Amino acid sequence: MSKALPYQTQVEIFHRFQAAEAEPKGELEHVNAYTLVLAVALSAQATDVGVNKATRGLFAVADTPEKMLELGEEGVIAHIKTIGLYRNKAKNVIKLSRILVEDYGGEVPSSRAALESLPGVGRKTANVVLNMWWGHPAQAVDTHIFRVGNRTRLAPGKDVVAVERAIEDNVPAEFQRHAHHWLILHGRYTCVARKPKCPACLIRDLCPFEEKTQE
């Protein structure tokens, strides 16, 4: 596995990301910690755009676990049936909501272990919530971050857990809070999978990716 970029190169890259967008934000719409957990869980094998379109109506009528339980599984399905795996996801939404009401007083827990114990919530979802809602320097690695981490050697790793660890170990501490948002947005809009937009890349001169595109 390739070694990570030198520390000073990492610093320069993240300074550039920071200069371009000092406060990067996630693109999933939410109004509180509960709706954030649901939005991220629903985004598995779905696009943020598609999830936002489905959840606007859902969260308008049910933005707490208590309201979601009143809506019921069929009510959830009616709102999210445009999302992949909607039936299983609706079941998890209701199960998750019931656990929050019965075990956590209707509040979303702020520990990774507790979050990961909820139906439909894995490590990635837990890390997104910890980062976006509580400001923890948690790194949620998706396909975009995995690709960017390895292409740029900012955080090389053979699987998502290895890339998560590489970000924690190699990215300068001052950039840990927003690292995953900068990387995911870079992967989503510039360092795309099939034909990366290298000419428009703000870190092109620092990136060791050998197959840079010319147009």
Side-chain angles (χ1 to χ4, degrees), residues 5-18 154 170-175 206:
L5 290 174
Y7 178 80
Q8 288 303 324
T9 305
Q10 297 251 10
V11 170
E12 176 59 25
I13 285 174
F14 281 101
H15 270 312
R16 292 185 190 183
F17 285 149
Q18 186 178 57
L154 281 165
N170 299 307
V171 173
E174 64 187 293
F175 304 115
L206 300 174

Side-chain angles (χ1 to χ4, degrees), residues 83-130:
I83 301 175
L85 306 175
Y86 68 91
R87 289 192 182 279
N88 189 56
K89 289 178 178 179
K91 282 184 171 61
N92 283 336
V93 166
I94 295 301
K95 289 178 183 176
L96 179 153
S97 300
R98 185 167 289 112
I99 290 171
L100 290 183
V101 170
E102 294 178 353
D103 297 346
Y104 296 97
E107 299 296 323
V108 174
S110 58
S111 81
R112 180 185 283 113
L115 285 167
E116 286 191 54
S117 73
L118 298 173
V121 176
R123 186 178 184 85
K124 175 190 158 189
T125 296
N127 281 347
V128 171
V129 175
L130 290 171

Side-chain angles (χ1 to χ4, degrees), residues 1 4 10 14 112-113 116 122-131 136-150 154-172 175-177 179-180 183:
M1 179 58 63
Q10 297 251 10
F14 281 101
R112 180 185 283 113
E116 286 191 54
R123 186 178 184 85
K124 175 190 158 189
T125 296
N127 281 347
V128 171
V129 175
L130 290 171
N131 182 283
H136 296 184
Q139 308 301 332
V141 178
D142 67 353
T143 56
H144 297 299
I145 295 177
F146 183 80
R147 179 175 63 255
V148 173
N150 279 288
L154 281 165
K158 67 183 188 320
D159 54 40
V160 293
V161 174
V163 170
E164 179 184 329
R165 293 282 181 260
I167 295 173
E168 294 172 348
D169 292 344
N170 299 307
V171 173
F175 304 115
Q176 288 278 337
R177 171 70 174 84
H180 108 266
L183 293 175

Side-chain angles (χ1 to χ4, degrees), residues 38-39 41-43 46 50-59 68 71-94:
L38 293 189
L42 291 171
S43 71
V51 171
N52 288 339
K53 192 175 296 185
T55 57
R56 281 178 198 131
L58 177 63
F59 295 159
M68 198 66 72
L71 184 62
E73 188 175 321
E74 290 304 316
V76 174
I77 287 175
H79 285 283
I80 70 168
K81 59 187 177 184
T82 55
I83 301 175
L85 306 175
Y86 68 91
R87 289 192 182 279
N88 189 56
K89 289 178 178 179
K91 282 184 171 61
N92 283 336
V93 166
I94 295 301

